[in-house]
Amino acid sequence: MTASAVRAELPAIGDELLREQAEYWQETLADAPEPLELTADRPRPAQPDPTGAIVRLELDEELAAALEALGMRHSSHISTVLLAGWAAVLGRLSGQTDLVIGCSGNALPVRVDLSGSPTAAELLGRVEARVRGALRNQDLAFQRVVELVQPDGAASATPLFRAAFVWRDAPASDPELPGLEPGAVAASERCSTGGLDLSLELGEENGGVAGQVVFATALFDRETVERYAGYLRRMLAGMAADETRPVDRLTLVSDEERRLVVEEWNRTETPYPADSY
């Protein structure tokens, strides 16, 4: 089915509300970027592998309070601040300035614009607007959204997104990430990714914010995702400390990692055998 045929079919979707929501998603996700493609430890397998594992992530009370205060200054919930920080990290890792992230338990696609080197405050405003728009138009089933945006059936080969973010409003024993079986994360470090590369699940816990990153073991080593979790902590800390600074200039690497890259990997005095050509 062509895109024009889908548009002609819009009245058959249902009432006026669903028609308006269908038009919203078509406009918002028009010319959507290629799905997130991070530099992984292994090539993407020819056949999808849903095997996943988790990396625990905790933000202490001080940082959580600073992030909540940042959100309040911009009429945003802390979850929106966390999503903005996650998007900024994913953008830095992928080199993309336009990306789609699946949000909440029903996988609402949220398109994030990182172009123009936005400050933390500017990025938060962009993400807040997108989140509000997605929530206002969440009655349309996700599969219907996919059909409208990818009418040629390319979704099976090219998903709308490969990364997700879920906020838990209250502590829960079972994660809400799509594809995860009840109790999977709590019972074992092995779980299903639901076909995603990376999923961040966070919620309030013991006065701070805590959760986990679920990652595809076919693509990433645990050490890589632990490093990504550290990047997110530093991104969020930088956003909370100075909301006027562009997020693409915030430091992500730790002092130890920087020392490794700058000093160890760039040593030129190391002798090499003369016959090592």
Side-chain angles (χ1 to χ4, degrees):
M1 183 182 295
T2 65
S4 59
V6 171
R7 284 192 292 271
E9 186 194 297
L10 285 178
I13 293 176
D15 59 22
E16 184 64 22
L17 174 63
L18 293 186
R19 177 190 173 93
E20 292 174 357
Q21 292 194 11
E23 291 175 344
Y24 167 83
W25 289 114
Q26 282 190 305
E27 179 180 351
T28 300
L29 298 177
D31 302 318
E34 290 296 314
L36 195 71
E37 195 66 63
L38 302 174
T39 300
D41 297 301
R42 286 168 290 283
R44 187 176 299 280
Q47 297 298 323
D49 184 349
T51 305
I54 66 168
V55 164
R56 178 75 175 170
L57 176 63
E58 297 183 5
L59 308 178
D60 61 31
E61 293 184 35
E62 182 179 359
L63 178 54
L67 294 171
E68 186 170 14
L70 172 60
M72 291 179 64
R73 289 196 296 273
H74 296 276
S75 302
S76 296
H77 189 266
I78 186 174
S79 61
T80 307
V81 180
L82 295 168
L83 172 57
W86 182 230
V89 170
L90 293 175
R92 291 274 287 273
L93 292 174
S94 65
Q96 293 180 219
T97 58
D98 184 6
L99 58 152
V100 180
I101 300 175
C103 295
S104 76
N106 53 349
L108 288 173
V110 173
R111 189 171 182 176
V112 180
D113 177 14
L114 292 164
S115 65
S117 191
T119 65
E122 290 169 343
L123 176 58
L124 183 54
R126 295 179 187 182
V127 174
E128 174 68 24
R130 289 296 194 187
V131 168
R132 288 182 180 274
L135 290 175
R136 284 195 302 266
N137 293 276
Q138 63 179 324
D139 298 310
L140 199 66
F142 175 71
Q143 185 56 42
R144 186 56 171 151
V145 173
V146 173
E147 292 171 356
L148 288 168
V149 178
Q150 298 177 321
D152 57 357
S156 58
T158 310
L160 284 179
F161 51 81
R162 291 194 176 116
F165 172 79
V166 175
W167 173 257
R168 299 192 313 253
D169 288 320
S173 57
D174 295 333
E176 300 177 56
L177 292 173
L180 294 182
E181 298 177 359
V185 171
S188 170
E189 291 188 346
R190 291 290 177 180
C191 55
S192 170
T193 65
L196 301 175
D197 293 354
L198 292 172
S199 299
L200 175 64
E201 180 199 3
L202 294 174
E204 295 179 355
E205 187 174 309
N206 299 324
V209 171
Q212 56 267 325
V213 182
V214 178
F215 64 97
T217 55
L219 297 175
F220 302 104
D221 293 331
R222 175 173 299 278
E223 293 75 15
T224 298
V225 180
E226 288 174 344
R227 190 170 70 250
Y228 290 173
Y231 292 168
L232 178 59
R233 288 191 197 93
R234 284 182 280 277
M235 172 64 74
L236 293 170
M239 291 171 61
D242 185 0
E243 64 183 69
T244 66
R245 189 174 182 183
V247 293
D248 59 8
R249 297 181 187 174
L250 294 175
T251 300
L252 298 189
V253 300
S254 64
D255 292 339
E256 181 181 355
E257 186 177 351
R258 184 183 300 106
R259 185 164 52 252
L260 176 65
V261 173
V262 174
E263 298 178 11
E264 297 297 328
W265 291 358
N266 286 311
R267 283 190 172 180
T268 58
E269 71 275 15
T270 303
Y272 291 92
D275 59 352
S276 61
Y277 301 109

